Amino acid sequence: MLKISLSSASHSGVWGDKALVAYETDGAVIHFSGDYPLRRIQQAARQLQSQGITQACLDGEGWSYERQWAFYCGFATPKTEVKLRWASIDEDELELLNARRRSADWVRKVVNATPEDMYPEKLADEAISFLSSIAGEALSHEVVVGDALAEQGWIGTHSVGRASSRPPVMLTVDFNPTGDADAPVSACLVGKGITFDSGGYSIKSSAGMVTMKCDMGGAATVTAALGYAIEQGLRQRVKLILCCAENMIAGNAYKLGDVLTYKNGQTVEIVNTDAEGRLVLADGLIAASETKAPLIIDAATLTGAAMMAVGTDYNALFGLNKALVFKAQQLSDLVNEPAWPLPLEGWHQTHCPSYYADTANSRSQKGGGMGGASNAAAFLSRFVDTDNCGWVHFDLAACFRDSADARWAAGATGVGVANIAAMLL
């Protein structure tokens, strides 16, 4: 393993005073002086990995928990299994690093998998297996598949997924460490699990479709967040709901102009079959509200508008309870997973009008028109009992990179996992 040490001073040798990484006889030194040291450490790790280094040992002074995690984020890659030995730090912090890595690695595994290999039932199975390995007998689950979804009233998930030869799925996981079947549910997590998104009849371009295996990033993120929270000692009952489907094209696909009637009575006109994520999440949010949990968190790769607003270094936050959204943002700073609130008010619900239903699922304009991310969040708010619970929506602009950059390899990043886990603790 290559030994990696830290220096807060600029390099003064042959590598030049601007060098981020300098090689010495016994390893490499990361020079992280200047602004944003964690970003510089992550960039250095990415530089080392791109030079073919796949085994590293963090050595010497200065390797705090945050700095080691920043290094790991840059060092991970989808093509090669990297080996990383943490620096000697407090035993509790070491356990936390290992737990966080297990969750992040699981996210990378399922999100980066090909859409042929990661289909709705497979995603549900992977989530059950991952959480069972952590929670053991404290975990139970229910899976509703295919036409049974329509029979039970989960019209959004069924409509989006019915055109695929691989049926849609709603997975409900119940983590109940109390052992009391009547224990109250303290929080409910809801994840968008579109394992491949063609756009349906509002078909995407080839360039827009090529990375759509990532459209189940929300389901992966909330699953990993629950696992990470359990490993940190979560002792309250939490439910997880994943709404999983392939959005495909066939003779029985849902169509523009269709009107869906949800279990809570809301009617929705389909004006864009590529605005499918909110349709499946609506089912999950109705189910979450039925639990009477005081906290509901959903996560989804929902809109390109969020990425346009905050870029790919931040996740976008939405909610009608401003104090709760502010708390989510504070926790994002604490765990170094940047998130930023975007506007959401009750009147945003009127921004996708329909002549034939209570609302349309978007606007019939590219990207949903102006304020698309806020309008999508407002659509979701129709399906949450916001009078009796706190609700936060994560639009995961930072959870996936279409291509590699100076700090991240291409693919899933895991950004959002620690933020959501912190909200459960």
Side-chain angles (χ1 to χ4, degrees):
M1 288 187 167
L2 181 69
K3 287 202 304 184
I4 312 292
S5 57
L6 288 176
S7 174
S8 59
S10 298
H11 183 65
S12 58
V14 297
W15 301 98
D17 60 3
K18 301 295 185 183
L20 190 58
V21 177
Y23 288 94
E24 299 184 350
T25 55
D26 61 345
V29 180
I30 296 174
H31 294 272
F32 65 98
S33 61
D35 296 334
Y36 308 111
L38 295 182
R39 289 174 68 90
R40 288 178 61 82
I41 290 170
Q42 184 177 344
Q43 185 177 346
R46 176 72 189 135
Q47 181 177 319
L48 287 164
Q49 198 284 318
S50 65
Q51 292 171 353
I53 306 300
T54 60
Q55 301 184 49
C57 171
L58 306 184
D59 186 61
E61 301 296 325
W63 281 111
S64 65
Y65 168 88
E66 292 81 5
R67 290 171 181 174
Q68 293 191 78
W69 185 251
F71 184 93
Y72 170 74
C73 288
F75 200 53
T77 173
K79 283 189 175 183
T80 306
E81 181 180 354
V82 297
K83 294 182 179 180
L84 179 62
R85 185 181 302 160
W86 305 114
S88 297
I89 56 173
D90 178 85
E91 186 174 334
D92 290 340
E93 289 190 342
L94 186 62
E95 290 183 5
L96 188 62
L97 279 168
N98 285 328
R100 192 168 181 179
R101 179 174 179 174
R102 281 190 288 271
S103 290
D105 284 350
W106 184 81
V107 169
R108 286 185 170 89
K109 182 185 79 168
V110 297
V111 175
N112 291 343
T114 71
E116 179 63 24
D117 293 333
M118 194 57 59
Y119 46 92
E121 286 182 288
K122 177 67 171 178
L123 177 57
D125 289 344
E126 289 282 354
I128 294 165
S129 177
F130 171 70
L131 292 172
S132 295
S133 70
I134 298 169
E137 295 182 356
L139 203 78
S140 60
H141 68 273
E142 178 186 10
V143 182
V144 183
V145 182
D147 289 342
L149 289 163
E151 293 166 6
Q152 295 187 24
W154 304 122
I155 191 69
T157 307
H158 181 264
S159 295
V160 171
R162 72 188 185 210
S164 174
S165 61
R166 300 190 288 192
V169 171
M170 179 182 282
L171 167 66
T172 302
V173 173
D174 186 356
F175 171 68
N176 187 4
T178 69
D180 178 5
D182 297 321
V185 178
S186 66
C188 199
L189 303 176
V190 181
K192 170 188 171 183
I194 302 298
T195 56
F196 184 72
D197 182 17
S198 71
Y201 279 108
S202 304
I203 191 169
K204 293 179 181 288
S205 67
S206 180
M209 206 185 299
V210 70
T211 58
M212 280 300 101
K213 63 183 181 181
C214 80
D215 218 16
M216 37 69 70
T221 297
V222 290
T223 302
L226 177 56
Y228 184 41
I230 294 169
E231 292 216 64
Q232 291 182 80
L234 178 66
R235 298 305 303 163
Q236 296 176 305
R237 188 177 186 181
V238 174
K239 286 195 173 184
L240 169 78
I241 301 168
L242 304 185
C243 305
C244 309
E246 287 183 332
N247 186 21
M248 304 294 279
I249 299 172
N252 64 334
Y254 79 121
K255 296 170 285 293
L256 288 86
D258 284 351
V259 173
L260 307 184
T261 301
Y262 280 85
K263 286 185 75 172
N264 68 345
Q266 287 282 313
T267 56
V268 178
E269 181 190 5
I270 306 303
V271 301
N272 185 347
T273 61
D274 196 23
E276 85 298 330
R278 64 200 73 180
L279 298 175
V280 304
L281 281 175
D283 284 337
L285 291 169
I286 292 171
S289 295
E290 290 176 351
T291 70
K292 306 299 183 183
L295 174 63
I296 296 175
I297 301 168
D298 78 75
T301 50
L302 201 64
T303 66
M307 297 177 70
M308 293 298 291
V310 300
T312 56
D313 287 323
Y314 286 77
N315 288 323
L317 296 173
F318 297 87
L320 297 171
N321 183 326
K322 301 299 189 292
L324 186 58
V325 173
F326 180 62
K327 177 183 177 181
Q329 185 186 16
Q330 286 182 308
L331 290 172
S332 79
D333 291 337
L334 184 66
V335 299
N336 295 303
E337 290 185 346
W340 198 259
L342 291 181
L344 180 63
E345 300 293 343
W347 44 261
H348 277 104
Q349 288 188 356
T350 66
H351 281 196
C352 294
S354 168
Y355 292 117
Y356 307 102
D358 295 325
T359 185
N361 72 322
S362 185
R363 293 187 202 170
S364 53
Q365 304 170 22
K366 184 177 181 180
M370 301 293 285
S374 295
N375 297 340
F379 178 92
L380 296 179
S381 72
R382 291 173 173 270
F383 301 91
V384 186
D385 183 9
T386 53
D387 291 335
N388 295 299
C389 76
W391 163 66
V392 179
H393 162 53
F394 282 75
D395 199 328
L396 297 173
C399 85
F400 189 86
R401 300 289 171 128
D402 289 352
S403 58
D405 61 22
R407 294 190 304 120
W408 295 99
T413 65
V415 174
V417 170
N419 194 174
I420 295 173
M423 296 190 71
L424 300 178
L425 296 167

